[in-house]
Amino acid sequence: MQRGQREFWRVGNVSADTILDLQVLYDGTPQTLSLVSLDGVPVGSQDGTHPGGLIPITDLLLPPAGRMEFILTGPSSAVRSAQFATQAINTGPDGDNDTARTLATIVGGATGDGTGSVPGMSGPQGQPLFPDLATVPVNRQRQLYFSENADQTQFYITVDGQTPTVFSPDNPPAVVTTQGSVEDWIVENRALENHEFHIHQIHFLVLSQDNFQINGSQPVAAIQNQFLDTVQIPYWDGNPAHPFPRVRLRMDFRGRISGDFVYHCHILGHEDLGMMAVIRVLPAQ
Ligand SMILES: [Cu+2]
């Protein structure tokens, strides 16, 4: 990077199974990054302020399939070592070993290796993709949960009240809705490891991510009220006195999408052992 120069970075977690908690470290100190977008949607872009403000962060948990864009400033000449790194993830008692490690070394110089300047405004402001989603009437609430069998050979995502079933493309749709509807989904994690809810075709508004055993219902500032298509539900600690961790999501089926598609855990080892299901969106009349 050119020393002191601001750069725009687009980062995707395209690993199969690894959860990342990303940071930029200069001499061991996490740098403040200006978060521009999550999962392809500019942060704060749907709240009517146009353009939305950037969110200052010093780390961001990025699930497999998650994407982020941010602005960072290149190291000054006083910085002796600089890294792009992930912190260790506590994936839960049954989880994987996602260690802290350096992903890239950053070197400051008189010139950078970037691809040139970024225009301040690339075009006229577009229409919001998800107008008034926070305040529109909600047609329906559903509850779903992640779970596993005892020897971790079968993984499930289940609509509460249905029978846990390993995914097959021949399974009937677990959810049937109609184009034009708005639904609130509560997705719980009843397993002893993290799972990463992902749905094809649409985005959802993050109403909350509740991890009762650790922080109650404290909002995770960077993702609260943002529009994602992939979100972590933290592991349950197995204590029957503790409610299951959950996310509350507002699902937006008002767009052009209809037909059958899937939602699943985006840790592929889990998805491949069954943690996926079909949703059917019936076309509007
Ligand atoms: Cu999973």
Side-chain angles (χ1 to χ4, degrees), residues 222-257:
I223 65 170
Q224 184 78 17
N225 296 324
Q226 303 301 333
F227 296 84
L228 308 186
D229 58 29
T230 310
V231 67
Q232 174 158 290
I233 301 95
Y235 67 90
W236 182 51
D237 65 359
N239 184 336
H242 288 160
F244 299 118
R246 66 177 191 182
V247 291
R248 294 168 50 240
L249 311 173
R250 182 153 297 169
M251 317 296 286
D252 191 355
F253 301 105
R254 298 174 300 169
R256 281 176 285 188
I257 298 299

Side-chain angles (χ1 to χ4, degrees), residues 5-277:
Q5 185 98 346
R6 296 206 302 165
E7 292 192 1
F8 174 89
W9 284 28
R10 174 177 291 153
V11 176
N13 181 352
V14 296
S15 66
D17 303 285
T18 304
I19 306 160
L20 301 172
D21 190 351
L22 295 168
Q23 291 190 317
V24 174
L25 299 166
Y26 291 170
D27 292 333
T29 301
Q31 299 300 295
T32 298
L33 312 174
S34 296
L35 187 63
V36 173
S37 85
L38 292 164
D39 293 352
V41 180
V43 295
S45 63
Q46 308 291 313
D47 63 5
T49 53
H50 296 315
L54 309 181
I55 300 175
I57 56 171
T58 52
D59 73 286
L60 186 78
L61 188 139
L62 203 64
R67 293 87 71 206
M68 68 185 296
E69 295 173 337
F70 58 90
I71 296 167
L72 78 163
T73 303
S76 74
S77 54
V79 172
R80 281 158 304 170
S81 87
Q83 293 91 28
F84 183 49
T86 178
Q87 301 189 91
I89 307 291
N90 182 353
T91 61
D94 284 352
D96 299 333
N97 187 19
D98 290 349
T99 58
R101 57 210 184 275
T102 298
L103 303 174
T105 298
I106 299 170
V107 178
T111 57
D113 60 359
T115 53
S117 64
V118 178
M121 181 76 79
S122 59
Q125 185 75 45
Q127 291 298 310
L129 286 170
F130 320 105
D132 303 320
L133 188 59
T135 54
V136 293
V138 174
N139 303 99
R140 178 157 186 166
Q141 185 172 102
R142 298 182 202 262
Q143 191 151 333
L144 296 87
Y145 65 94
F146 288 107
S147 64
E148 307 171 6
N149 70 345
D151 59 0
Q152 291 191 284
T153 55
Q154 296 189 343
F155 287 65
Y156 317 105
I157 181 165
T158 309
V159 176
D160 202 16
Q162 297 181 4
T163 303
T165 306
V166 167
F167 175 74
S168 160
D170 297 327
N171 290 349
V175 173
V176 179
T177 189
T178 306
Q179 190 183 11
S181 63
V182 171
E183 302 192 357
D184 281 355
W185 287 19
I186 295 171
V187 185
E188 288 181 341
N189 189 351
R190 302 183 185 177
L192 302 178
E193 63 178 315
N194 294 344
H195 292 296
E196 322 297 320
F197 177 82
H198 172 71
I199 188 164
H200 290 193
Q201 302 289 12
I202 69 162
H203 281 72
F204 46 76
L205 174 68
V206 178
L207 301 174
S208 70
Q209 182 187 48
D210 303 321
N211 191 350
F212 303 99
Q213 70 220 29
I214 293 173
N215 61 355
S217 295
Q218 296 294 320
V220 178
I223 65 170
Q224 184 78 17
N225 296 324
Q226 303 301 333
F227 296 84
L228 308 186
D229 58 29
T230 310
V231 67
Q232 174 158 290
I233 301 95
Y235 67 90
W236 182 51
D237 65 359
N239 184 336
H242 288 160
F244 299 118
R246 66 177 191 182
V247 291
R248 294 168 50 240
L249 311 173
R250 182 153 297 169
M251 317 296 286
D252 191 355
F253 301 105
R254 298 174 300 169
R256 281 176 285 188
I257 298 299
S258 63
D260 289 3
F261 50 98
V262 294
Y263 53 89
H264 57 93
C265 177
H266 219 296
I267 293 174
L268 297 188
H270 301 173
E271 175 213 85
D272 291 352
L273 290 172
M275 205 167 240
M276 179 153 69

